[in-house]
Amino acid sequence: MAKAEETVLEIDLKALGHNYTFLRSKIKPETKFMAVVKAYAYGSDSVAIATYLQNLGVDYFAVAYVNEGITLREGGITAPILVLHPQKTHFKTLIENNLEPSIYSKAILSDFIATAEETGKTDYPIHLKFNTGLNRLGFSTEDLPEISTLIEQQKAVQVIALLSHLAATEDANETDFTNLQLERFDAICQQADALFKTKTLKHVLNTSGIINYGDAQYDMVRSGIGLYGYGNEPHVDAALKPVMTLKTIISQKHTIPKGESVGYNRKYKSDHKTITATLPLGHADGIGREYGHGKTYVSIHGKLAPIIGNVCMDMIMVDVTNIECEEGDEVEIFGKNLSANEFAETAQTITYEILTGLSQRIKRIIKN
Ligand SMILES: *Cc1c(COP(=O)(O)O)cnc(C)c1O
């Protein structure tokens, strides 16, 4: 039986390659591919993931914040990197690290032009983000003439791309709304092409957009979750391979007589003799308290063991009454055998949240 040493997050680069090939097969050969590696590449390891993808020929990377882009540059990533939500206070370091900002308001545009001028730049590449219905970040269509005037009056920056973000590409009940967002984006692109002197790249699709709205791939697509092996829909999940597997070890087993309790606040009470296993990971590692109380399972030798009682900061206890196992045996929290999707659903959340919430104290192991 498999033995383990500690809690680790295994990162399977072959699975990443498989997912990339699958997603690429859904778009035209000439369409550029932007790999979204924000939030430590969805909780994994952004430099390891980006290095592997750069070698496979990925055109572009995206991160949320400037410090994430700097980590990639320091890790040797030379491909263009878009920063989706840069903060004004980091504009100078953004430029020093040759990162490309997504600019989403007139104030941010003016501030960025000022910084680019101060640093003596000409034609520094920027992307303009438009709000087409997510109502989170972005210019509105009406801003276009003013943006165009601002751009024409200076030489420090150059608009190289236009983007928008879709609210519900995975939701078959919202196709009308998604199509409306796409129509709005198309109208923005047409107006912008008439206003701007330079040709721009257009990009709007995320992973589920690639799957469900391929006609709108424009010049580039932006994929995150699909690369990591999850597609927001069962038929897509089936074609992808999970990149991350969270594994741990049985630290200790206990036999709990009828009437005893397990863990803080005595939240598990045994009405029969129960055998438990204590595992070295808890809410400080990203397994929140919502995963306790018997709703969520981990996998031990292919059998499901419910997490019982309150999740502690550094430990969880699972019920192994019906599972043959020993102290030192390996436990899979989620990954290859137990989908992170299903794991997340037991706590009424989504794969994105469980993956990106895995704490940095979990050791990352790169495979293949
Ligand atoms: C995170 C993000 C993506 C990636 O979305 P997935 O669903 O993970 O493919 C794409 N575009 C923007 C603007 C994002 O913030």
Side-chain angles (χ1 to χ4, degrees):
M1 286 190 179
K3 293 281 169 187
E5 285 170 353
E6 60 181 328
T7 302
V8 296
L9 185 71
E10 274 183 11
I11 300 165
D12 180 350
L13 295 177
K14 262 209 194 106
L16 176 67
H18 167 90
N19 300 334
Y20 173 62
T21 306
F22 173 81
L23 292 162
R24 267 242 71 114
S25 78
K26 299 285 160 195
I27 56 174
K28 294 180 196 142
E30 65 270 26
T31 303
K32 289 180 192 290
F33 195 102
M34 177 185 275
V36 182
V37 294
K38 61 194 179 191
Y40 301 97
Y42 288 44
S44 60
D45 178 324
S46 65
V47 171
I49 296 281
T51 303
Y52 192 79
L53 290 172
Q54 184 169 263
N55 290 337
L56 290 182
V58 159
D59 305 278
Y60 245 98
F61 292 98
V63 293
Y65 300 111
V66 170
N67 60 345
E68 298 177 309
I70 294 173
T71 301
L72 293 182
R73 287 286 181 245
E74 286 172 353
I77 299 302
T78 52
I81 300 171
L82 171 64
V83 181
L84 292 164
H85 196 182
Q87 308 295 308
K88 180 182 164 182
T89 176
H90 300 300
F91 280 171
K92 211 159 155 272
T93 32
L94 178 148
I95 291 173
E96 283 163 7
N97 286 275
N98 199 16
L99 308 171
E100 298 175 9
S102 168
I103 302 290
Y104 53 87
S105 75
K106 287 179 274 184
I108 288 286
L109 178 59
S110 302
D111 288 335
F112 191 77
I113 289 173
T115 308
E117 283 172 342
E118 274 165 36
T119 50
K121 294 285 170 191
T122 48
D123 293 337
Y124 195 88
I126 66 170
H127 300 232
L128 299 182
K129 184 173 203 173
F130 288 86
N131 174 25
T132 52
L134 183 60
N135 293 321
R136 192 173 71 172
L137 277 187
F139 289 105
S140 65
T141 317
E142 295 73 55
D143 294 330
L144 261 170
E146 221 180 307
I147 298 169
S148 152
T149 310
L150 264 173
I151 294 293
E152 263 170 40
Q153 286 166 351
Q154 55 80 52
K155 289 197 166 53
V157 311
Q158 179 188 187
V159 178
I160 63 151
L162 309 175
L163 71 141
S164 186
H165 195 34
L166 303 171
T169 47
E170 72 278 29
D171 190 344
N173 296 315
E174 294 293 357
T175 52
D176 286 350
F177 181 74
T178 303
N179 285 321
L180 175 68
Q181 278 200 279
L182 289 171
E183 276 164 37
R184 287 172 175 165
F185 184 61
D186 210 59
I188 289 162
C189 291
Q190 285 184 33
Q191 270 197 55
D193 281 347
L195 281 168
F196 296 134
K197 292 198 180 75
T198 48
K199 205 173 161 303
T200 51
L201 289 172
K202 279 93 179 168
H203 52 101
V204 68
L205 298 182
N206 63 353
T207 299
S208 292
I210 296 170
I211 302 296
N212 297 321
Y213 298 90
D215 287 349
Q217 62 190 265
Y218 291 94
D219 306 300
M220 181 154 70
V221 296
R222 306 187 299 265
S223 176
I225 198 78
L227 286 172
Y228 308 105
Y230 297 95
N232 301 321
E233 295 168 272
H235 76 279
V236 191
D237 287 340
L240 299 171
K241 293 185 178 165
V243 169
M244 291 165 247
T245 298
L246 181 61
K247 287 181 175 176
T248 189
I249 175 178
I250 297 178
S251 295
Q252 194 176 26
K253 283 175 74 183
H254 287 274
T255 301
I256 315 295
K258 184 176 167 180
E260 282 280 309
S261 61
V262 176
Y264 285 129
N265 312 107
R266 310 192 64 205
K267 285 297 175 194
Y268 177 83
K269 293 220 169 106
S270 61
D271 55 10
H272 58 280
K273 188 176 103 177
T274 308
I275 301 168
T276 64
T278 302
L279 315 180
L281 82 173
H283 61 73
D285 300 287
I287 309 299
R289 283 163 54 96
E290 60 277 21
Y291 291 95
H293 311 296
K295 291 187 298 285
T296 311
Y297 297 80
V298 302
S299 170
I300 302 176
H301 306 313
K303 297 218 171 90
L304 296 178
I307 300 172
I308 56 171
N310 275 328
V311 168
C312 315
M313 188 187 296
D314 313 306
M315 280 172 253
I316 56 178
M317 279 72 87
V318 299
D319 184 343
V320 295
T321 309
N322 299 313
I323 302 175
E324 237 180 81
C325 58
E326 315 268 334
E327 291 174 0
D329 283 0
E330 185 176 286
V331 179
E332 180 177 311
I333 308 299
F334 58 73
K336 291 253 179 294
N337 302 302
L338 197 65
S339 148
N341 242 343
E342 284 170 39
F343 190 86
E345 271 168 17
T346 61
Q348 277 91 52
T349 185
I350 55 174
T351 322
Y352 296 80
E353 190 186 51
I354 184 69
L355 293 179
T356 58
L358 295 175
S359 91
Q360 288 302 305
R361 88 173 171 186
I362 299 173
K363 183 174 170 186
R364 270 68 175 166
I365 293 184
I366 316 290
K367 283 180 59 191
N368 302 315

